[in-house]
């Protein structure tokens, strides 16, 4: 697959996430992710494969219903797409055992997405969970 196709597939997933609609996100994940997807990232919830990716979005949307993921950089090379983004949202639902605080979060993430056969096969993620938890009051500043 070409890097242009991989980048377009990634953008399709990002656009689905932007809808904040769990059904739309789940449907697009089914279409673009390999069911055996390997997910190397700090993630809330349990599960593996594409189902783990779906669970991440169910959890995040429940906790941060106004979540917004803004892409700041995208680099596509070979079978990988690397993207850096900023995540913002308001904590309005349970998250990692923490009841809603009403606090806002603003944190950074970087992901490397590997494609195989036109589908997302593997994801490595670096999420600023420390900053996220500090902003929620779980960790002292």
């Amino acid at each position: 697959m070409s890097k242009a196709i991989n980048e377009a597939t990634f953008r399709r997933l990002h656009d689905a996430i932007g809808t904040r609609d769990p059904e739309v996100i789940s449907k697009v994940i089914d279409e673009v992710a390999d069911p055996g997807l390997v997910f190397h990232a700090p993630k809330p919830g349990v599960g593996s494969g594409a189902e783990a990716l779906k669970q991440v979005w169910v959890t995040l949307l429940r906790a941060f219903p106004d979540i917004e993921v803004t892409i700041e950089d995208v680099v596509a090379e070979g079978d990988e797409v690397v993207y850096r983004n900023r995540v913002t949202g308001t904590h309005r639902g349970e998250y990692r055992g923490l009841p809603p605080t009403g606090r806002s979060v603003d944190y950074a993430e970087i992901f490397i997405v590997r494609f195989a056969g036109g589908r997302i096969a593997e994801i490595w993620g670096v999420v600023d969970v420390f900053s996220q938890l500090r902003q929620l009051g779980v960790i002292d500043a």
Side-chain angles (χ1 to χ4, degrees):
M1 289 286 149
S2 77
K3 65 183 181 180
I5 291 171
N6 292 341
E7 188 173 354
T9 301
F10 158 75
R11 292 247 182 224
R12 189 165 163 228
L13 176 59
H14 182 267
D15 290 346
I17 290 165
T19 70
R20 296 187 198 116
D21 182 330
E23 290 180 24
V24 169
I25 295 168
S26 179
K27 180 178 183 286
V28 170
I29 289 171
D30 283 339
E31 294 169 0
V32 303
D34 186 279
L37 165 78
V38 179
F39 196 20
H40 311 277
K43 59 185 176 9
V46 295
S48 62
E51 292 303 315
L53 186 56
K54 290 179 191 180
Q55 185 59 43
V56 164
W57 285 104
V58 166
T59 300
L60 289 172
L61 288 166
R62 182 183 62 234
F64 305 97
D66 63 343
I67 195 167
E68 189 168 326
V69 180
T70 304
I71 297 172
E72 296 182 330
D73 287 304
V74 176
V75 178
E77 189 63 43
D79 65 351
E80 294 178 336
V81 174
V82 178
Y83 64 102
R84 179 178 65 87
N85 61 50
R86 175 135 323 268
V87 180
T88 58
T90 309
H91 185 214
R92 303 228 184 266
E94 183 275 330
Y95 182 66
R96 297 184 182 257
L98 180 66
T101 63
R103 294 180 179 194
S104 295
V105 295
D106 182 340
Y107 60 94
E109 303 176 320
I110 297 174
F111 286 93
I112 302 170
V113 179
R114 184 181 65 79
F115 290 81
R119 299 184 79 165
I120 298 169
E122 202 161 5
I123 300 173
W124 292 266
V126 178
V127 178
D128 189 354
V129 176
F130 178 81
S131 179
Q132 180 190 72
L133 296 177
R134 183 181 46 76
Q135 291 171 51
L136 293 174
V138 175
I139 299 171
D140 289 333

